[in-house]
Amino acid sequence: MTAPAGREGPVVVQKYGGTSVATAERILAIADRIERNLDRTPRLVVVLSAMGSTTDELVGLAHQVSDRPAGREMDLLLSTGEQVTVSLLGLALQSRGIPAISLTALQCGIRTDGVFNVARIRSIDTARIRAELDAGRVVIVTGFQGINDADDVTTLGRGGSDITGAALAAALGAGACEICTDVDGVFSADPSRVPGARLWAEISYEEAIEMASSGAKVLHPRAAEVCMEYDVPIHVRSSFHLRVGTWIRGAASIMERAEVVAVTGDAKIAKFTLLDVPDEPGMAARVFQDLAAGGINVRLIIQSASSAHQGRITFILDKEFVAGARELARSWEAGGVTSGCVVEDDVAKISIVGSRLAATPGLAARMFAVLARRGINIDCISSSEMKVACVISAERLDEATAAVHEEFFPAKETAAATA
Ligand code: ASP
Ligand code: MG
């Protein structure tokens, strides 16, 4: 089938986050933005999040009627937020005379596995979307949701609209996946907390994945993983203007490589310590298999010996998983894996991220020295090729982030670099 005149060219996928569609006025502003750029993006797929804090409110409602809401009903409930925004944008575009159609995951064939709340996309049948694009319509798709084999609605985990955008961009062979958000791009620290944060013109997929998984709110790490796998460049940019933001692409095509690309903070974590774990094979396997089976992601693991025959297993996870992990801990106690578990939720994680971290001696030491000078105690440390992370007291996080950022991005130099 040939595309109608003016509707040729690569597909562009644009994802707008919750802040960008928080009110009717903002949805109208997105419609304006799309209208003004229609010449440049003739084959456009738009993926939307729910309005503002809608998803949080829906979670709150569920907990008002149930102590332990079931995954299936929860996902059906949470998926409604995105249905509101896509249909509103569809109406707004149509009322300007722009052909547009809004589609749910069922209508555009986004298939996932059966794990409610944190489902993974398995396949996308793009026939419907392609047909709508060929017919000259802007296609607007609900982010964050999918359909399992039984046609039940699933959701992809909080912030999952980015994953929808990336997966659609990959499946459609899009020229780019644009992540349109409330900041201008990817910064060396959260610009709302660290005023001197530097905006990057480009970073690698690997750097983006590490940043996102260490707490930066730029995009969902799995979105960057999907785009890396399918070699789709990501453009993180503002929804409020048209200036270029940050390109995320393969490391080989990036000109400027920094040792440290970001200082990130994450206060949404909790620390679990399992006491008196017998020093014998199979203990860690049992704990982490159970966590994985419960869809609980663990961010950092430390095992240490406390005596000749017993040890401790400490792990860090997102606060939203604490209740589920506590429940598992009861079964570990009953099963002789641990004598008891200690949960601390007044902790936070600060990380430095960069693809040349491992190759550059002394960077971790500089980070530790900054924390030491401020009298900030380091509770646990973990490091990998591209990241050094320290668990510290949550109340010192902002101060620590600003100080570590100043060490690697001194205000004077940053001002000169951007002048
Ligand atoms: N609305 C969902 C959430 O708040 C998905 C998203 O925003 O990407 O988590
Ligand atoms: Mg969101």
Side-chain angles (χ1 to χ4, degrees), residues 78-97:
L78 298 192
S79 70
T80 60
E82 275 69 15
Q83 228 162 294
V84 171
T85 48
V86 295
S87 36
L88 287 174
L89 182 63
L91 293 170
L93 289 172
Q94 288 163 6
S95 73
R96 271 147 223 257

Side-chain angles (χ1 to χ4, degrees), residues 15 18 49-50 52 55-56 82 144 157-162:
K15 178 261 170 180
S49 286
T55 311
D56 290 330
E82 275 69 15
F144 177 55
R158 298 306 306 273
S161 301
D162 290 342

Side-chain angles (χ1 to χ4, degrees), residues 386-419:
M386 291 184 54
K387 177 159 73 186
V388 179
C390 299
V391 175
I392 60 172
S393 149
E395 50 176 32
R396 309 291 300 270
L397 179 64
D398 282 349
E399 177 195 352
T401 309
V404 173
H405 187 270
E406 176 61 28
E407 169 70 20
F408 293 105
F409 302 92
K412 271 192 221 134
E413 278 175 33
T414 307
T418 46

Side-chain angles (χ1 to χ4, degrees), residues 33 36 180-181 183-185 237-245:
R33 191 178 192 274
R36 272 183 283 136
C180 305
T181 178
V183 289
D184 288 352
R237 62 193 309 187
S238 169
S239 335
F240 306 126
H241 58 69
L242 288 169
R243 286 195 295 280
V244 174

Side-chain angles (χ1 to χ4, degrees), residues 8-357:
E8 283 130 26
V11 174
V12 169
V13 174
Q14 263 173 15
K15 178 261 170 180
Y16 292 90
T19 326
S20 312
V21 291
T23 59
E25 290 71 37
R26 292 212 179 147
I27 290 176
L28 287 172
I30 302 297
D32 273 341
R33 191 178 192 274
I34 290 171
E35 184 174 23
R36 272 183 283 136
N37 284 285
L38 220 45
D39 297 347
R40 268 178 280 166
T41 52
R43 287 169 75 77
L44 179 63
V45 176
V46 178
V47 175
L48 299 183
S49 286
M51 293 171 100
S53 54
T54 299
T55 311
D56 290 330
E57 284 152 26
L58 292 171
V59 171
L61 276 174
H63 285 280
Q64 283 178 42
V65 297
S66 165
D67 291 338
R68 296 175 51 197
R72 183 187 176 282
E73 272 54 44
M74 195 66 170
D75 279 359
L76 189 58
L77 173 68
L78 298 192
S79 70
T80 60
E82 275 69 15
Q83 228 162 294
V84 171
T85 48
V86 295
S87 36
L88 287 174
L89 182 63
L91 293 170
L93 289 172
Q94 288 163 6
S95 73
R96 271 147 223 257
I98 300 169
I101 184 163
S102 52
L103 298 172
T104 65
L106 179 64
Q107 292 168 317
C108 62
I110 302 179
R111 292 277 158 190
T112 69
D113 62 19
V115 188
F116 292 112
N117 300 175
V118 284
R120 281 184 171 253
I121 297 179
R122 279 195 184 142
S123 65
I124 301 181
D125 174 4
T126 54
R128 175 79 188 267
I129 295 179
R130 287 185 197 278
E132 299 294 351
L133 290 172
D134 289 342
R137 298 195 179 97
V138 174
V139 179
I140 312 158
V141 178
T142 49
F144 177 55
Q145 60 176 258
I147 298 292
N148 69 11
D149 287 343
D151 283 354
D152 285 331
V153 177
T154 54
T155 64
L156 308 179
R158 298 306 306 273
S161 301
D162 290 342
I163 308 171
T164 309
L168 280 171
L172 292 162
C177 174
E178 295 190 7
I179 301 286
C180 305
T181 178
D182 51 356
V183 289
D184 288 352
V186 180
F187 287 81
S188 56
D190 180 347
S192 66
R193 286 165 188 267
V194 181
R198 165 176 180 180
L199 175 65
W200 295 108
E202 49 183 6
I203 62 168
S204 68
Y205 292 118
E206 290 87 350
E207 288 165 341
I209 293 167
E210 284 291 344
M211 280 178 74
S213 37
S214 62
K217 285 174 234 61
V218 276
L219 84 168
H220 197 293
R222 258 162 64 207
E225 275 168 25
V226 169
C227 286
M228 178 162 86
E229 195 175 330
Y230 291 88
D231 207 15
V232 181
I234 303 171
H235 187 184
V236 180
R237 62 193 309 187
S238 169
S239 335
F240 306 126
H241 58 69
L242 288 169
R243 286 195 295 280
V244 174
T246 304
W247 281 94
I248 303 175
R249 40 179 151 230
S253 61
I254 292 181
M255 308 287 289
E256 182 197 22
R257 309 310 307 279
E259 288 169 343
V260 173
V261 285
V263 180
T264 59
D266 190 352
K268 288 192 189 153
I269 58 160
K271 180 180 156 197
F272 264 68
T273 305
L274 305 181
L275 305 170
D276 310 318
V277 180
D279 186 19
E280 58 189 51
M283 293 296 138
R286 159 96 194 262
V287 168
F288 294 102
Q289 273 162 1
D290 287 354
L291 289 165
I296 297 175
N297 248 331
V298 173
R299 301 196 168 272
L300 191 158
I301 301 169
I302 293 169
Q303 180 173 271
S304 53
S306 53
S307 76
H309 309 293
Q310 286 183 324
R312 286 181 169 192
I313 296 179
T314 300
F315 54 87
I316 302 286
L317 38 65
D318 287 358
K319 278 199 170 89
E320 61 179 297
F321 296 125
V322 166
R326 271 188 204 273
E327 214 158 285
L328 288 172
R330 277 193 281 278
S331 77
W332 299 327
E333 277 172 47
V337 174
T338 175
S339 66
C341 108
V342 180
V343 186
E344 292 159 68
D345 60 5
D346 52 355
V347 293
K349 189 157 57 80
I350 175 170
S351 312
I352 54 173
V353 174
S355 49
R356 287 171 44 198
L357 228 59

